[in-house]
Amino acid sequence: MSSEWAVVGKQKKSREQKGDKKSQNASAKVPKIEDNAAEMDAFRLLYADLKEEMIAKLIALKDSNGKAGLKAAAGTLPNSDKRVPTPTGGQAAQPAGRNGSKAKEPEKLKRSVTSATIPFKNLEAAFAEINANELRSQLVAVNVQFKDNPLMVLKALTGSLNSKLRLKDCDPVYSGRSNSYPYDIVPKDVRRVIDDCIVEAGEENVKYFFDLTLSNLVTDMNTNLPYHGHKLMLQAIANHHPSACVNNLARNAILRNSYQNRSNIGLSLLWALGQGGYKDLNVGLKVWQDIMVPVLDLKSYSEFVSTYVNAIVSGNSQQRLDLGSSEFLTILSSLTQPKRNDDLESAARQLVEQYVLGSPKAAATFTVLFNNVSFITRPTMIHYGLALCLLEDPECTGVWMKLYRNHLQTSLGIFNFLIGSRQDYNKKVEGVDAKTQRSIYTSRPDVFDDLFSEEHFLQFLAKVNVLNQELNVAKKEVEVLKSITAVVKAGSS
């Protein structure tokens, strides 16, 4: 019996192509990869038919060493349009071994397939079974077969990881693990193979492949197929190119809506898109605002969405915010929810500090915050930002003085906040809960004491008191200013 495969069927007469050679050559060229959904889906269909052929080639190379596998792959490159069918049933997938026995090959293949389908207890156990040299040899063969097509190499790598990372049940967001899990537990030699593939593919191809893999992730999860290879590749790509996570947010928002009621799929989608935020705060905030905030109030998503934004803000405290005033206020409004949430409060406070302390001119930031106090329902964090501005730049008191006459109510709200905050932090607090609440409220409890000790601020309060008498304000406002004067005197005594 011949060890080669043959396609049995009717032969069709080849059609002669019309037109000149230039048009034929032009039609043979592979279309460029554009960053839109329509061509993305077309590209997926273009390579879908090659899946069976790739699997057959990889199985044929599995028991060969690196060089022998490479020569075998190069020697079996198709010279025509005929497809090599995937071996089925009891037929042998490879020629006979050294002992010439063909009967043992189907049993050997059957045992390997059976062992590959048994799910592992956890990812650590699954990673331990991956042979980096074998994986690299397979990818080299794929690269030769598909003539240096980096997308096919990435596709083959993802498929191989999917087949090797089989688990029964797994938390979609890996709760209780580090932010870099599971990539941080991948063996170094396997991680090197993955990193090399991403680097060699180039940023443009990798960003396209990220969106393609994201679609494949939700599709495979929906059909109960192995998917952990998708998640690992998405995380690896985000580590190299964080901006890939915001490359196609509009399309990914539609994807989120489609699987929103399947929380395990929806959370996996949010987890994957959020990976870039651990490296780049601006990327993470954009993903959080556009993709995660719409599901913040849903029970299945609330915990992850809240802890995520706190993690990226606290983990990137030294990064410069690349946000305009409107973007900052929108995110701050989303963070200050009517219902108190410790993670959101902490993230809001840290974000305000980064925005104010990182701004080139605190006086300009003071004006923006002052004019938008009513932008959010709970303006506490804006008041805190104003206090930081007053402490950072003495010019802010001059800006406030110009705004005071026409914004008495806003000014009184700020005074109430400053006085109340200072008195609160000067109290002797007992109990862990109270201390925890204070630490969440602000990371700089001394900001208010420092502010009331600054000469420029004390002079400002004196001017405001005189101006207030000239304007003949209401009794409530007079009482607030009297309280300010009393606090200043008590602090200076």
Side-chain angles (χ1 to χ4, degrees):
M1 182 182 293
S2 175
S3 60
E4 297 182 353
W5 293 91
V7 178
V8 179
K10 295 182 179 180
Q11 296 183 351
K12 296 182 179 180
K13 295 182 179 180
S14 59
R15 298 179 180 178
E16 295 183 358
Q17 297 182 353
K18 297 181 180 181
D20 56 9
K21 293 183 178 180
K22 291 184 178 180
S23 62
Q24 293 179 14
N25 293 335
S27 63
K29 292 182 180 179
V30 179
K32 293 183 178 180
I33 301 171
E34 300 296 338
D35 191 14
N36 56 65
E39 295 195 9
M40 182 184 297
D41 295 335
F43 189 81
R44 290 179 59 192
L45 294 174
L46 179 64
Y47 289 104
D49 293 337
L50 297 173
K51 182 177 180 181
E52 293 183 357
E53 184 176 352
M54 285 178 58
I55 294 175
K57 298 294 183 184
L58 294 178
I59 292 176
L61 291 168
K62 185 173 182 180
D63 295 328
S64 303
N65 56 28
K67 290 186 178 180
L70 180 58
K71 290 180 180 179
T76 55
L77 287 176
N79 295 323
S80 64
D81 294 335
K82 294 182 180 180
R83 289 186 56 192
V84 180
T86 304
T88 57
Q91 294 173 313
Q94 303 179 30
R98 293 181 180 179
N99 56 4
S101 175
K102 297 182 181 179
K104 294 182 180 180
E105 291 298 329
E107 296 180 2
K108 183 178 180 181
L109 179 60
K110 184 177 180 180
R111 286 197 301 270
S112 64
V113 172
T114 303
S115 62
T117 57
I118 298 176
F120 290 93
K121 183 178 180 181
N122 50 47
L123 284 172
E124 287 82 353
F127 284 131
E129 295 296 321
I130 298 179
N131 187 313
N133 293 330
E134 178 183 292
L135 182 62
R136 188 180 291 276
S137 297
Q138 293 174 356
L139 296 177
V140 169
V142 171
N143 192 44
V144 172
Q145 180 178 357
F146 293 101
K147 300 178 181 179
D148 297 327
N149 188 325
L151 289 172
M152 293 308 298
V153 176
L154 290 171
K155 183 180 177 69
L157 174 59
T158 306
S160 180
L161 291 173
N162 275 335
S163 66
K164 297 176 186 298
L165 302 178
R166 294 174 177 267
L167 278 73
K168 287 185 178 179
D169 298 307
C170 188
D171 184 350
V173 295
Y174 308 115
S175 300
R177 301 285 189 169
S178 67
N179 295 332
S180 55
Y181 184 89
Y183 204 64
D184 57 355
I185 66 167
V186 178
K188 291 183 178 179
D189 52 353
V190 177
R191 192 186 309 172
R192 193 176 299 112
V193 174
I194 298 173
D195 290 339
D196 289 347
C197 286
I198 293 174
V199 172
E200 292 171 5
E203 183 175 357
E204 183 179 354
N205 286 324
V206 166
K207 284 184 176 181
Y208 165 78
F209 188 75
F210 183 91
D211 289 325
L212 176 64
T213 304
L214 204 63
S215 299
N216 290 337
L217 168 66
V218 297
T219 301
D220 287 354
M221 290 187 71
N222 191 45
T223 52
N224 295 321
L225 293 174
Y227 60 87
H228 288 284
H230 292 310
K231 297 184 76 171
L232 185 63
M233 287 299 296
L234 288 167
Q235 187 180 39
I237 291 172
N239 287 340
H240 285 268
H241 305 287
S243 60
C245 299
V246 294
N247 196 44
N248 209 341
L249 283 180
R251 184 177 184 275
N252 293 331
I254 297 174
L255 201 61
R256 177 209 61 206
N257 292 338
S258 300
Y259 294 94
Q260 184 171 302
N261 294 330
R262 298 281 301 277
S263 60
N264 63 324
I265 299 179
L267 285 171
S268 294
L269 184 65
L270 299 190
W271 176 89
L273 286 170
Q275 290 304 301
Y278 296 114
K279 296 287 185 180
D280 188 327
L281 177 58
N282 294 291
V283 167
L285 289 174
K286 190 168 184 60
V287 170
W288 187 79
Q289 180 63 39
D290 294 351
I291 300 294
M292 299 188 185
V293 169
V295 295
L296 176 60
D297 294 331
L298 299 182
K299 184 178 180 180
S300 301
Y301 297 91
S302 180
E303 182 179 357
F304 173 74
V305 173
S306 300
T307 55
Y308 170 79
V309 69
N310 190 28
I312 62 172
V313 174
S314 59
N316 297 290
S317 58
Q318 302 303 317
Q319 287 190 18
R320 182 180 180 277
L321 286 177
D322 187 20
L323 297 174
S325 57
S326 60
E327 293 174 309
F328 168 75
L329 291 170
T330 300
I331 294 174
L332 187 61
S333 177
S334 299
L335 289 170
T336 52
Q337 296 290 317
K339 185 178 180 181
R340 184 180 177 85
N341 182 306
D342 288 348
D343 285 315
L344 297 183
E345 291 279 341
S346 177
R349 178 253 305 161
Q350 295 177 79
L351 192 67
V352 168
E353 292 173 358
Q354 286 183 251
Y355 184 74
V356 172
L357 301 179
S359 62
K361 192 171 180 60
T365 303
F366 181 91
T367 304
V368 171
L369 296 178
F370 189 95
N371 290 329
N372 288 278
V373 168
S374 59
F375 185 81
I376 57 180
T377 55
R378 291 194 300 114
T380 303
M381 287 301 165
I382 289 187
H383 289 159
Y384 177 53
L386 291 169
L388 291 175
C389 290
L390 290 167
L391 184 62
E392 287 294 312
D393 189 356
E395 292 184 12
C396 293
T397 57
V399 175
W400 192 358
M401 181 60 70
K402 293 178 181 178
L403 297 169
Y404 184 79
R405 289 176 179 269
N406 297 324
H407 299 85
L408 291 176
Q409 195 63 40
T410 300
S411 297
L412 289 172
I414 300 172
F415 283 138
N416 279 324
F417 170 79
L418 296 176
I419 296 170
S421 298
R422 190 186 186 218
Q423 291 175 347
D424 179 53
Y425 284 109
N426 286 336
K427 289 179 180 179
K428 293 182 179 180
V429 183
E430 296 181 359
V432 177
D433 292 339
K435 290 181 180 180
T436 302
Q437 290 179 1
R438 294 201 317 171
S439 65
I440 290 172
Y441 188 67
T442 175
S443 64
R444 296 184 59 180
D446 59 336
V447 64
F448 305 104
D449 283 337
D450 291 346
L451 182 59
F452 279 90
S453 301
E454 291 289 335
E455 183 65 26
H456 72 274
F457 188 68
L458 297 178
Q459 292 176 0
F460 166 72
L461 292 179
K463 292 179 182 179
V464 167
N465 197 19
V466 173
L467 181 59
N468 189 62
Q469 294 176 2
E470 294 176 357
L471 295 174
N472 192 21
V473 293
K475 289 184 178 180
K476 182 178 180 181
E477 295 169 344
V478 172
E479 291 299 323
V480 171
L481 292 175
K482 285 182 179 179
S483 299
I484 294 175
T485 304
V487 170
V488 172
K489 288 181 178 180
S492 59
S493 60

